[in-house]
């Protein structure tokens, strides 16, 4: 009897144990096997380098892309060139200098260091991958370029920042490193540009050249040299060169000149297409675009047309007109003969303000009466593109047109091969003109004049026959006159290319420009094709010269990095 | 008649004595009632408020007198008066220390979240961890809330957050064979507790013009426009659409029908329950649609519990649960995405329909809200969940008296499928040209329906458990002990997760001397396979002590005290932080970047997060409690003090410099302290008389103090959060309105105008920025309380529950509070009646709202004391009136019982916070008031 009970117990216990273990004997890997580890991505047997290429691609995503990037608006809407069509947009924090250490819509600190880490990760590991040596050489130089431009994106915002070289932190140490000086950062970026320039693709855009086909968009020798030229120009500028050390200007000039003389494949783009003159066509052409030195590539799209074209085209083409360029920008464009509109010789007629103007004007902003999608733009009060009962229509009487495709007579948008111009040849010419003009007097101004003349000629401004004038410019200018001419030419040639926001800072003119009142135009329709024009105030910029020339270092960097605690920029 | 006869109490009708949830001592009135596990045996007259012993973990029962833990208890019957969908909605205000928060009223999404002593408790159903709240009240025998260390420590890495143990009915185990069958059906009307109020078109456009003028901008609306908005003379070009009325109806239906049976037949006992629930939504529908676009929730739950005595010593059981529910919504499935458009659609935005019958819209508002809610197709979501528990219990009394072993195997499966049947609807802009002819411009076109479907969730969990129990008394020495090994294996088939296995070994031993002195010790060794090898297991011990003071000789003379016990517990508990193999470094896909003319995208690969080792968090818990029973057990009181010292909490170090270039790894070094008190008091009559009543109240409060969070503040005292309570609000201190332009202090760089909010400049630098952010108000412990009562007189019974929260605050923000914010497509958001009392030169002294502006005002809409509101409230959460037909009448028709009842949920709410429901501010779909009635017949 007792035996039977024991047996039964053992049986039951066995049954129960079986129940418990039933599920436990199923087998799975104990650690996930699908994780792409270092040794898989950087594989010493990977001759094709598929993952290596993907690593390089990820670096390109760290390049600056300026299309409507701040809450849907371009950085230029924080300058005297444009305002947001909506009220109290986030970008007004920049336009009105409301930025603080913990509030800044253009805080790129983390993004830039993320790209730098990404580059260092690549550089530390790429050696083992046995791909074709030339490709690998290109890759490595491209990655170093992207790391260098990331530092430039930092120093134009914050001044000198900590340089970390090839260091990869592991997240457990206390990062305790002070800022390097602005000049040290400049030296680092320049030395990187010098070091890699020999290992990048040459700027050959011809039919079988290096920058054709699937290499379009790759970083080239020109990009490294253009970065160097721009960095040196910034370093020579009044903000960073308070004692006006002329050798800095000379260095900047020779860096720009080296491109002009050394990279002869680079030229101002001269191919017009459809309704677009060369000046506008260059922004939507990728193949054989010998002006483009480096652009941020995006898959062909109509995003910018939809965002920026006048709001009256919303019904069929969903256009929103989010940017309202100012009258001040429009007035900066000369007449067709190149003379400023304030010059009686310009032939400017305030009653017909858009006639006989610099051809670039109509391809930078939408003017009342310009053709778009088969009808004239109606920016007058109550017009289709400036309706009285609709919110978010233009505040200035203008919309931004720069970079848009050829849709003057089209019925709908089609995808555009557009890339955001990070560097283009016209900038190199303007950098050279500015640097050489500042570096000294005498033949320097002639050198500078030649650059402006080339740009104006391509723009379609008439050369004219008036003695002492070409393209509306005095052929013999003083250094100061030339400075004014160059600054205006930069403004109009490179409007909406994220130049002016930084230019007015490095020139140290933001205490004036950054506090100016911005204007728009009130256009009243008086007849079928007749209008009257009245300038109106639309907004007022705000800039505190005691602090706003640089951004505040983000608060989290001040608290988390002990070495930065006493290194906040002045005024913050 | 069977068992039914002996629970009839001669000469009186006691009604559902609900809500008396303290674990204390049995009242005299109830001690005559036998312990039962049948819904119907207790139905209709008598409900046991408390049991002598209640269910705790691993199939154990805790005898009240020997209990040393902090426990909460609720009779399952108390849940029946709540006309809602989810079982935890019935727990609101019933149990000290347990707080529920409901943040939506959308059918199927109106579940509450639970907070127990500041943490989110584990849910166990019949001892098995289950994340489920779709249980109808009839199947529930009791709810036990396990609050302290000794009561939960055997859950190992699931013990830190406390636990809620739901025990389902199994049928009566003792007594003669019986069979009971009950049909209950009920239906009700639901309506919003609070609806957000919006401005009419005239007020909106008037204030809009004022806001423009405040910033020196030209008005958008002409006087003629304003007049048209005012008199409604031009409904197409100057519409005034009450969008809320357009898309919402005033009320929706609710119904629930339950079939229930339990019984016993020889060695078999069982409970069967079938439940159907239909909850309607508040959206208006279009008659011409052949399908439903309104929100709705329809659910079937089937439950079968069967226990079979296989031999004299071996018992087997099988619990089955199955659920199917259908949720409906307008296309896209996200009802909130539709209703939240109310906040960005002013009354004057566009007409619902144009004169030609097309849907209206314009450049700024091109997504017709009525089209969105009715012309856009529909979305159906189907959820299937099923589980079973199968187990055996072998008594080993033959080996050693009091010894038994048991095993349980449980599987559950959960699947959620969605079908989206959407179609685009056309929107047309209507205008009139200069000659007065209508102009219709198409904004978007209607499109054919397109269908997509997907599996949004698919999970399977298995749970296996082995236990050995030993319960025996040797004269004055009592021993209760158990050992267990159990394992939970969770597989998620949507996503690339490996099975997650939590394995527990636990033991517990309780000893008492003469039921006077009690000591209990328990420990668990618990591990998770996701952690790094060698660091998977943790050891969690706890101890409890109890002293029944009234059993001491010196207490004999104190006649009015029937029971008095001091108890305490102390132990280390844990909580998993599973992650997904965060210790592995891997590269993951990033964005695409195109090279070449046509821009063919290339994939990218980026470095993943920096690896770190996950581990459990832990809490060292202390609980001291006192239970007393007085006045012949009519009155009882319970009091608990607790201190939970939490550590190993996941934090990010304050040394998180962006220079790292990556997200900082989580470190498990955070610490905080949760401290609080809980109290319950109850009174129930025990005299034999016509009016029987009971009252019970509970009160609890706690606060969480940050002890270590790794922060670095670089000397900014105002940024320090260590040592502060986590419910502290921070912001600027508002200091009246600006009276002259340019006056400050205001936000850095802000050009102030009269009517802007000024702030206190705490660091004296004449500008307002993060250095002026400070604690606003004093963080007071959040108080959670409930008062329930029941009366039974003759055949009527009445019960109610009042529940509330105090010391809660909310910072107003966002487009449900601030008017005229930027909305998509250049539109501007709605405005609200609070804005009518804005600052103007005339109202400068009485204004409660700053001057109006268009867009997000960086100064006025910053977080500050100006926008901090108390959301304390008190609610009549539940009330029920029931009537039982007389037994004489019932005997004639061979029916055991007929009961009629009406009940209501959330009928009255008092709060100073009026613009939203205080429990769910900023939400568009209010929680609901329900008035419900029904009939219950027992055969």
């Amino acid at each position: 009897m007792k035996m039977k009970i024991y047996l039964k117990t053992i049986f039951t216990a066995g049954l129960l144990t079986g129940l418990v273990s039933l599920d436990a004997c199923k087998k799975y890997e104990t650690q996930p096997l699908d994780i792409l580890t270092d040794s898989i991505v950087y594989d010493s047997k990977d001759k094709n380098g598929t993952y290596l290429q993907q690593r390089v691609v990820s670096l390109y995503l760290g390049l600056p892309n300026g299309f409507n990037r701040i809450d849907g608006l371009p950085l230029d809407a924080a300058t005297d060139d444009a305002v947001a069509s909506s009220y109290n947009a986030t970008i007004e924090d920049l336009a009105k200098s409301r930025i603080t250490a913990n509030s800044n819509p253009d805080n790129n600190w983390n993004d830039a260091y993320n790209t730098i880490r990404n580059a260092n990760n690549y550089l530390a590991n790429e050696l083992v991958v046995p791909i074709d040596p030339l490709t690998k050489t290109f890759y490595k130089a491209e990655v170093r370029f992207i790391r260098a431009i990331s530092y430039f994106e930092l120093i134009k915002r914050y001044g000198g920042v900590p340089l970390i070289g090839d260091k990869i932190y592991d997240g457990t140490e206390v990062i305790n490193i002070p800022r390097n000086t602005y000049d040290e950062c400049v030296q680092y970026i320049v030395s990187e540009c010098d070091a890699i320039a020999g290992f990048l693709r040459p700027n050959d855009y011809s039919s079988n050249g290096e920058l054709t086909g699937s290499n379009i968009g790759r970083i080239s020798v020109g990009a490294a040299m253009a970065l160097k030229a721009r960095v040196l120009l910034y370093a020579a500028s009044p903000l960073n060169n308070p004692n006006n050390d002329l050798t800095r200007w000379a260095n900047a000039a020779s860096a720009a000149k080296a491109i002009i003389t050394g990279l002869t494949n680079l030229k101002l783009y001269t191919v017009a297409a459809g309704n677009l003159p060369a000046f506008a066509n260059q922004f939507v052409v990728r193949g054989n675009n010998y002006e483009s030195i480096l652009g941020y590539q995006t898959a062909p799209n109509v995003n910018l047309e939809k965002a920026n074209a006048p709001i009256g085209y919303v019904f069929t083409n969903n256009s929103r007109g989010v940017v309202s360029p100012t009258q001040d920008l429009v007035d900066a464009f000369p007449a067709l003969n190149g003379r400023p509109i304030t010059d009686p010789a310009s032939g400017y007629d305030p009653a017909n303000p858009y006639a006989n103007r610099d051809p670039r004007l109509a391809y930078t902003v939408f003017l009342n009466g310009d053709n778009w999608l088969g009808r004239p733009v109606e920016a007058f009060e109550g017009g289709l593109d400036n309706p009285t009962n609709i919110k978010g229509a233009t505040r200035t009487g203008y919309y931004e047109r720069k970079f848009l495709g050829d849709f003057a007579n089209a019925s709908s948008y089609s995808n555009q091969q557009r890339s955001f111009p990070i560097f283009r040849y016209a900038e190199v010419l303007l950098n050279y003109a500015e640097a050489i003009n500042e570096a000294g007097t005498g033949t320097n101004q002639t050198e500078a004049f030649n650059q402006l003349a080339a740009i104006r000629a391509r723009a379609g401004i008439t050369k004219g026959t008036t003695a002492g004038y070409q393209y509306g410019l005095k052929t013999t200018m003083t250094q100061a006159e030339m400075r004014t001419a160059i600054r205006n030419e930069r403004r109009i040639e490179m409007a909406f290319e994220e130049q002016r926001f930084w230019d007015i800072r490095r020139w140290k003119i933001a205490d004036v420009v950054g506090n100016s009142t911005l204007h728009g135009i009130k256009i009243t329709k008086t007849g079928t094709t007749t209008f009257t024009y009245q300038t109106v105030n639309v907004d007022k910029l705000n800039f505190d010269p005691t602090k706003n020339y640089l951004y505040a270092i983000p608060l989290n960097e001040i608290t988390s990095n002990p070495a930065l605690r006493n290194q906040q920029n002045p005024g913050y | 008649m069977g068992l039914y006869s002996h629970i009839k109490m001669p000469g009186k009708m006691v009604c559902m004595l609900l809500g008396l949830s303290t674990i204390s001592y049995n009242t005299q009135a109830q001690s005559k009632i036998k312990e039962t596990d049948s819904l119907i045996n207790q139905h209709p007259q008598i409900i046991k408020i408390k049991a002598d012993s209640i269910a705790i973990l691993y199939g154990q029962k805790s005898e009240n007198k020997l209990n040393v833990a902090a426990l909460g208890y609720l009779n399952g019957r108390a849940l029946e008066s709540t006309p809602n969908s989810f079982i935890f909605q019935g727990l609101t205000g019933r149990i000290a220390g347990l707080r529920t928060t409901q943040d939506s009223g959308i059918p199927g999404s109106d579940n509450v979240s639970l907070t127990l002593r500041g943490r989110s408790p584990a849910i166990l159903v019949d001892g098995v961890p289950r994340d489920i709240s779709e249980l109808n009240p009839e199947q529930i025998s009791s709810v036990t809330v396990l609050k302290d260390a000794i009561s939960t420590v055997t859950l190992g890495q699931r013990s830190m957050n406390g636990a809620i143990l739901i025990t389902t009915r199994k049928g009566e185990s003792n007594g003669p064979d019986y069979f009971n069958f009950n049909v209950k059906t009920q239906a009700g009307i639901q309506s919003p507790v609070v609806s957000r109020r919006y401005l009419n078109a005239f007020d909106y456009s008037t204030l809009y013009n004022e806001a423009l003028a405040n910033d020196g901008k030209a008005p958008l609306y002409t006087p003629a426009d304003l007049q048209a908005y005012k008199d409604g003379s031009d409904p197409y070009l100057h519409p005034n659409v009450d969008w809320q009325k357009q898309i919402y109806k005033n009320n929706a239906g609710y119904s629930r029908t339950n079939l229930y049976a339990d019984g016993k037949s020889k060695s078999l006992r069982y409970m069967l329950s079938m439940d159907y629930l239909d909850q309607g939504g508040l959206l208006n529908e279009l008659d011409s649609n052949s399908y439903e676009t309104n929100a709705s929730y329809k659910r079937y739950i089937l439950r079968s519990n069967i226990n079979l005595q296989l031999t004299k010593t071996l018992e087997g059981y099988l619990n089955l649960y199955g659920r199917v529910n259908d949720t409906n919504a307008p296309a896209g499935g996200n009802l909130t995405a539709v209703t939240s458009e109310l906040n960005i659609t002013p009354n004057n935005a566009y007409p619902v329909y144009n004169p030609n019958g097309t849907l209206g819209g314009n450049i700024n508002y091109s997504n017709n809200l009525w089209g969105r809610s009715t012309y856009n197709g529909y979305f159906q979501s189907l959820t299937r969940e099923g589980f079973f528990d199968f187990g055996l219990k072998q008594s080993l009394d033959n080996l050693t008296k009091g010894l038994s072993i048991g095993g349980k195997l449980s599987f559950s499966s959960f699947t959620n499928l969605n079908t989206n049947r959407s179609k685009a609807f056309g929107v047309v802009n209507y205008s009139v040209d200069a000659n007065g002819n209508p102009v219709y411009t198409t904004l978007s076109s209607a499109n054919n329906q397109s269908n997509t479907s997907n599996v949004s969730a698919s999970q399977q969990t298995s749970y296996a458990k082995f236990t050995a129990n030993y319960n025996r008394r040797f004269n004055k020495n009592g021993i209760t002990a158990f050992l267990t090994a159990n394992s939970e294996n969770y597989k998620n088939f949507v996503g690339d997760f490996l099975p997650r296995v939590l394995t527990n070994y636990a033991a517990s031993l309780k000893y008492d001397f003469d039921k006077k002195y009690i000591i209990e010790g328990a420990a668990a060794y618990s591990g998770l396979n996701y952690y790094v090898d060698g660091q998977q297991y943790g050891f969690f011990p706890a101890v409890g002590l109890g002293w029944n003071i009234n059993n001491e000789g010196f207490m004999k003379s104190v006649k009015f005290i029937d029971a008095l016990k001091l108890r305490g517990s102390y132990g280390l508990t844990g909580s998993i932080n599973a992650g997904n193999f965060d210790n592995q470094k891997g590269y993951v896909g990033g964005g695409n970047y195109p090279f070449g003319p046509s821009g063919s995208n290339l994939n990218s690969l980026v470095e993943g997060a920096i690896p770190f080792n996950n581990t459990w968090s832990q809490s060292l818990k202390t609980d001291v409690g006192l239970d007393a029973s007085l006045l012949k057990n009519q009155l009882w009181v319970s009091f608990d003090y607790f201190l939970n010292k939490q550590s190993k909490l996941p934090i990010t170090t304050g040394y998180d410099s962006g220079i790292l270039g990556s997200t900082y790894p989580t470190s498990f070094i955070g610490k905080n302290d949760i401290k609080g008190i809980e109290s319950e008091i109850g009174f129930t009559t025990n005299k034999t008389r016509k009016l029987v009543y009971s009252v019970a109240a509970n009160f609890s409060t706690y606060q969480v103090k940050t002890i270590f969070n790794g922060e670095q503040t670089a000397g900014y005292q105002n940024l320090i959060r260590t040592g502060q309570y986590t419910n502290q609000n921070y912001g600027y201190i508002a200091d009246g309105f600006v009276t002259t332009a340019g006056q400050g202090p205001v936000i850095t760089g802000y050009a102030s105008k009269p009517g802007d909010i000024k702030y206190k400049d705490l660091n004296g630098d004449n500008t307002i920025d993060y250095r002026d952010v400070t604690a606003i108000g004093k963080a007071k412990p959040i108080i959670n309380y409930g008062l329930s009562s029941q009366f039974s007189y003759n055949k009527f019974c009445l019960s109610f529950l009042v529940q509330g929260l105090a010391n809660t605050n909310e910072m107003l923000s966002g487009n449900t509070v601030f008017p005229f914010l930027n909305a998509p497509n250049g539109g501007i958001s709605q405005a609200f009646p609070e804005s009518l009392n804005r600052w103007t030169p005339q109202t400068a002294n009485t204004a409660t709202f700053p001057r109006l502006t268009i867009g997000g005002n960086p100064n006025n809409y910053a977080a500050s004391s100006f926008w901090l509101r108390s959301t304390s409230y008190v609610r009549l959460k539940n009330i029920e009136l029931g009537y039982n037909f007389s037994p004489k009448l019932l005997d004639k028709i061979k029916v055991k019982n007929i009961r009629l009842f009406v009940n209501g949920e959330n009928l009255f709410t008092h709060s100073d916070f009026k613009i939203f429901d205080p429990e769910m501010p900023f939400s568009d779909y209010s929680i609901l008031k329900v008035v419900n009635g029904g009939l219950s017949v027992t055969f």
Side-chain angles (χ1 to χ4, degrees), chain A residues 23 31 36 38 114 320 391, chain B residues 363-365 462 584 587 661:
Chain A
D23 198 56
Q31 303 275 294
L36 293 174
D38 275 334
N114 179 259
R320 292 292 169 194
K391 303 152 187 164
Chain B
I363 295 174
N364 299 132
Y365 307 98
S462 58
Q584 307 269 331
Y587 290 78

Side-chain angles (χ1 to χ4, degrees), chain A residues 150-200:
Chain A
S150 296
Y151 276 112
F152 175 67
E153 289 295 314
L154 281 167
I155 65 171
K156 71 183 182 185
R157 289 169 170 84
Y158 303 103
V161 296
L163 293 168
I164 63 169
D166 294 336
K167 175 81 180 166
I168 301 171
Y169 295 96
D170 67 9
T172 56
E173 68 278 83
V174 173
I175 292 177
N176 186 5
I177 42 173
R179 297 169 69 172
N180 289 78
T181 63
Y182 184 87
D183 291 341
E184 285 166 349
C185 294
V186 167
Q187 273 169 26
Y188 176 76
I189 298 167
V190 169
S191 69
E192 283 291 292
C193 289
D194 287 341
I196 60 178
F199 302 101
L200 287 161

Side-chain angles (χ1 to χ4, degrees), chain A residues 2 5-6 8-9 12-13 15-17 19-20 22-23 26 28-32 34-38 41-42 51 53-55 57-58 60-61 63 86-89 93 96-102 109-110 113-114 117-118 121 125 162 164 169-175 177 213-218 286-287 295-300 311-312 314-316 320 384 387-392 395 417 538 542 547 555-562 564-565 568 571-572, chain B residues 204 208 212 215 217 220-221 311 313-314 346 348 362-366 390-392 394 396 398-399 405-409 411 429 441-444 460 462 464-466 485 489 491 496 498-499 529-531 580-581 583-588 590-599 601-607 610 653-662 664-665 712-714 716 719 747-750 768-771 822 825-828 853-858:
Chain A
K2 201 141 204 188
I5 291 165
Y6 280 130
K8 214 162 92 181
T9 308
T12 313
L15 190 68
L16 291 170
T17 317
L19 277 182
V20 171
L22 191 70
D23 198 56
K26 288 177 181 167
Y28 291 91
E29 68 265 38
T30 52
Q31 303 275 294
D34 54 341
I35 290 177
L36 293 174
T37 59
D38 275 334
V41 173
Y42 299 105
Y51 285 143
Q53 185 199 35
Q54 294 189 11
R55 292 288 299 115
V57 171
S58 79
Y60 273 84
L61 288 158
L63 287 173
S86 57
Y87 296 119
N88 268 328
D93 284 354
K96 308 203 169 178
S97 299
R98 293 193 292 243
I99 56 167
T100 67
N102 72 340
W109 185 281
N110 285 6
Y113 277 103
N114 179 259
R117 179 190 181 87
N118 196 9
N121 170 289
N125 293 293
I164 63 169
Y169 295 96
D170 67 9
T172 56
E173 68 278 83
V174 173
I175 292 177
I177 42 173
S214 62
N215 287 336
I216 292 177
R218 289 278 173 190
R286 285 188 191 170
Y296 187 94
Q297 311 289 303
T298 43
I311 200 167
V314 67
F315 297 105
T316 46
R320 292 292 169 194
L384 287 172
T388 49
N389 59 343
I390 287 298
K391 303 152 187 164
R395 286 163 65 190
Q417 290 180 17
V538 293
N542 186 31
K547 59 178 186 177
L555 178 60
N556 192 60
E557 299 310 303
I558 300 294
T559 59
S560 64
N561 179 352
L564 286 187
R565 285 192 185 156
Q568 180 58 282
Y572 296 103
Chain B
Y204 180 88
Y208 193 95
L212 285 171
D215 283 342
K217 289 154 188 159
L220 184 67
Y221 303 102
T311 71
T313 56
L314 181 63
N348 69 353
N362 61 34
I363 295 174
N364 299 132
Y365 307 98
S366 54
F390 168 66
L392 293 169
Q394 173 70 53
L396 296 178
N398 297 323
L399 218 57
I405 56 170
K408 178 186 268 190
L409 183 61
F411 272 104
N429 182 63
T441 320
T442 302
L443 281 164
S444 61
Q460 184 179 301
S462 58
K465 179 174 81 171
F466 169 80
N489 186 322
K491 293 169 206 160
D496 53 359
L498 281 179
N529 68 327
Y530 270 33
Y531 303 152
N580 185 25
F581 293 95
N583 59 321
Q584 307 269 331
K585 177 175 175 172
Y587 290 78
V588 295
N592 296 325
Y593 194 85
F595 294 98
S598 57
N601 274 319
L602 294 182
N603 295 330
S604 75
L605 204 55
V606 295
E607 189 188 2
I610 292 176
T653 171
Y655 292 113
D656 57 343
S657 169
I659 294 171
L660 176 71
S662 182
Y664 266 76
Q712 291 296 320
T713 53
Y716 294 118
L719 298 182
I747 298 285
T748 301
Y750 181 78
I768 299 297
D769 61 14
Y770 60 91
R771 283 165 285 218
N822 290 319
N825 300 334
I828 295 291
T853 47
I854 306 293
N857 188 303

Side-chain angles (χ1 to χ4, degrees), chain A residues 487-548:
Chain A
R487 287 181 177 180
N488 193 65
E489 202 66 24
R490 275 186 85 93
R491 182 180 189 184
I492 59 179
E493 172 71 21
M494 298 199 286
F496 300 110
E497 294 181 38
E498 276 204 17
Q499 297 282 358
R500 184 159 180 83
F501 186 86
W502 307 113
D503 283 346
I504 60 175
R505 282 163 174 73
R506 69 182 176 88
W507 292 331
K508 290 206 82 172
I509 60 170
D511 48 341
V512 177
V513 175
N515 280 308
S516 58
T517 297
L518 305 184
H519 304 92
I521 194 89
K522 186 177 175 188
I523 308 170
T524 311
K525 188 172 181 177
T526 52
T528 321
T529 55
T530 54
F531 304 94
T532 60
Y533 302 86
Q534 182 197 348
T535 304
V536 292
N537 293 350
V538 293
D539 211 348
K540 159 108 175 48
L541 296 177
N542 186 31
F543 188 92
D544 180 350
T546 64
K547 59 178 186 177
N548 291 144

